[in-house]
Amino acid sequence: MSKKTQVTVSSDAVDYRDVAVRINLDGKTDWLFTVSLDKEFDYILEDAAPRSSATDVESFIENDKVPPDVLAELERVQPQVMALLQPDASS
């Protein structure tokens, strides 16, 4: 069973930042989450629906049935996501 999680900055404008989290726990399905921070309002936007796709298909579909283990992995990488969203924040 391959277990992959990628956390990357997908957009880095001066006043807006997107972090993409790609999780693949079963070796078959990629889950893509986007977490955004608008610095003007300093508000985290999580309105992008989670999307899933079979690994051999790059077209992602919106999917509201996220498995618990995928949610747990998303929770685990949350500090890394927040660090990318707020690189200037002192911790």
Side-chain angles (χ1 to χ4, degrees):
M1 177 164 134
S2 73
K3 183 174 177 176
K4 296 187 309 199
T5 300
Q6 296 172 319
V7 179
T8 55
V9 175
S10 56
S11 169
D12 191 8
V14 173
D15 58 347
Y16 193 84
R17 182 173 283 236
D18 272 356
V19 174
V21 181
R22 186 180 205 146
I23 300 173
N24 185 321
L25 298 180
D26 59 6
K28 296 181 189 137
T29 306
D30 276 317
W31 289 88
L32 188 66
F33 300 86
T34 304
V35 184
S36 306
L37 180 70
D38 183 334
K39 288 185 183 167
E40 186 177 330
F41 301 107
D42 208 36
Y43 180 70
I44 297 167
L45 307 168
E46 293 185 15
D47 53 1
R51 294 175 291 163
S52 64
S53 133
T55 51
D56 56 347
V57 180
E58 265 305 304
S59 58
F60 284 86
I61 56 166
E62 286 194 8
N63 193 330
D64 57 357
K65 297 180 178 79
V66 182
D69 54 343
V70 172
L71 287 176
E73 179 66 8
L74 182 63
E75 189 71 27
R76 187 186 72 76
V77 297
Q78 201 69 18
Q80 189 180 348
V81 171
M82 295 312 290
L84 287 171
L85 282 174
Q86 302 170 312
D88 311 338
S90 56
S91 44

